[in-house]
């Protein structure tokens, strides 16, 4: 299936979505939201998919909301910005966080505004050295949105989150990695190969264990210690019944590499 604003493939357990509006640095249009909804829905429905890789075509990752589609005044009235957040961004961000697969964000270039939210909604973010992150909301008189005020303080702490949100200064990929905002920053020429290596790893990983690891780490921000240990126990009970757990233990005892099937 082909889309107007994204490139999509899903083979060998690896689903790839590349935002493909390079002339606008892959800014979010209505069509892009629609295409992403459809493609992520397909990945969710495909039991053979074991990892999703998100990236951008051209020199940008995603420049946030396409501002030409969100002019401040519509028919003489101020635009209600909450509509697109509720209708488009909230379902998008939640669909990535609730996807039972690891999501790799390969940040190839600038991420601005909701493009930063999209990157931080991924499980593992790897960025090219020349990429950067800009909380452009500050320059428009807006608050960070699409989940950014949830992710950012948790990742880099409130002091840094406040400063970068209020100033809207460019954060280099190196700085983002040093702050723990992303997993790694790599040389530009190594981004594709490093992303592929990660994707190949997850395509052969115990997928259910990875999915529940994603869930349990997300839950830790809302749970107390006792509730979190109980959640670990509940998820472990489920994982103890998987073929992959049996295979992992057998492979260890037989001193051989495990062959996980994701079941
Ligand atoms: C763009 C955009 C863009 C349209 C580059 N839109 N064309 C949610 C809900 C509701 C409303 C409001 O917002 C939100 C959340 C948000 O995301 S708010 C934040 C929106 N994003 C921005 O404010 C970022 C705007 N872009 C920029 O500041 C720059 O383009 C950055 C710093 C990202 C990159 O700068 P440069 O590398 O110098 O590239 P450029 O500015 O020349 O951009 C290349 C082209 O892409 C250019 O078009 P042109 O026809 O002149 O070649 C830009 O107009 C276009 N573009 N971002 N968000």
């Amino acid at each position: 299936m082909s889309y107007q604003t994204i490139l999509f493939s899903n083979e060998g357990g690896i689903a790839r979505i590349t935002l493909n509006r390079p002339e606008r640095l892959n800014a979010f249009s209505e069509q892009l939201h629609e295409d992403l909804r459809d493609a992520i829905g397909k990945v969710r429905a495909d039991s053979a998919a074991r990892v999703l890789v998100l990236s951008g075509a051209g020199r940008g990752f995603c420049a946030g909301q396409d501002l030409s589609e969100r002019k401040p005044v519509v028919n003489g009235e101020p635009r209600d910005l909450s509509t697109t957040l509720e209708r488009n961004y909230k379902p998008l961000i939640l669909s990535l966080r609730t996807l039972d697969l690891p999501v790799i964000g390969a940040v190839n270039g600038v991420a601005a505004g909701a493009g930063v939210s999209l990157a931080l909604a991924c499980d593992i973010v790897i960025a090219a050295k020349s990429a950067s992150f800009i909380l452009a909301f500050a320059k428009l008189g807006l608050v960070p949105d699409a989940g950014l005020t949830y992710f950012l303080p948790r990742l880099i702490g409130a002091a840094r989150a406040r400063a970068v949100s209020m100033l809207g200064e460019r954060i280099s990929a190196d700085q983002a990695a040093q702050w723990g905002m992303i997993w790694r920053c790599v040389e530009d020429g190594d981004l594709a190969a490093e992303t592929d290596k990660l994707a190949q790893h997850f395509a052969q990983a115990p997928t259910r264990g990875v999915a529940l690891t994603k869930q349990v780490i997300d839950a830790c921000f809302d749970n107390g210690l006792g509730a979190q240990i109980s959640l670990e126990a509940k998820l472990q009970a489920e994982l103890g019944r998987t073929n992959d757990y049996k295979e992992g233990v057998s492979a260890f005892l037989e001193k051989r590499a495990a062959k996980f099937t994701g079941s």
Side-chain angles (χ1 to χ4, degrees), residues 233-245:
K234 176 171 166 258
L235 301 183
Q236 215 69 300
E238 176 187 332
L239 291 170
R241 293 190 286 271
T242 60
N243 291 329
D244 281 342
Y245 175 60

Side-chain angles (χ1 to χ4, degrees), residues 23-25 59 63-67 84 114 134 136-137 140 145:
E23 69 294 345
R24 292 278 168 110
L25 301 179
R59 70 180 179 87
Q65 172 62 44
D66 187 319
L67 295 172
T84 181
I134 307 175
F137 313 91
L140 302 172
D145 61 20

Side-chain angles (χ1 to χ4, degrees), residues 2 9 18 52 61 83 85 95 123 128 154-155 159 161 163 166 184 186 194 208 210-211 213 245 262:
S2 73
S9 66
T18 305
L52 169 62
F61 174 70
T83 315
L85 286 166
S95 73
D123 293 294
R154 286 170 164 81
L155 291 167
M166 290 177 181
R184 280 184 67 199
V186 299
E194 291 292 333
R208 191 67 192 147
V210 176
T213 300
Y245 175 60

Side-chain angles (χ1 to χ4, degrees), residues 82-165:
S82 70
T83 315
T84 181
L85 286 166
E86 290 290 346
R87 193 183 60 223
N88 288 333
Y89 289 94
K90 185 174 174 183
L92 169 64
I93 299 301
L94 291 178
S95 73
L96 294 174
R97 293 311 317 141
T98 58
L99 193 64
D100 274 346
L101 298 177
V103 180
I104 301 170
V107 180
N108 51 299
V110 66
V116 183
S117 318
L118 178 68
L120 300 191
C122 299
D123 293 294
I124 298 187
V125 184
I126 175 164
K129 211 173 182 111
S130 67
S132 56
F133 300 84
I134 307 175
L135 276 82
F137 313 91
K139 297 179 193 233
L140 302 172
L142 297 177
V143 293
D145 61 20
L148 210 39
T149 60
Y150 181 93
F151 298 126
L152 205 59
R154 286 170 164 81
L155 291 167
I156 65 175
R160 286 172 176 151
R162 278 194 197 99
V164 297
S165 301

Side-chain angles (χ1 to χ4, degrees), residues 158-175:
R160 286 172 176 151
R162 278 194 197 99
V164 297
S165 301
M166 290 177 181
L167 296 170
E169 286 174 359
R170 193 182 284 264
I171 305 164
S172 69
D174 255 333
Q175 181 72 88

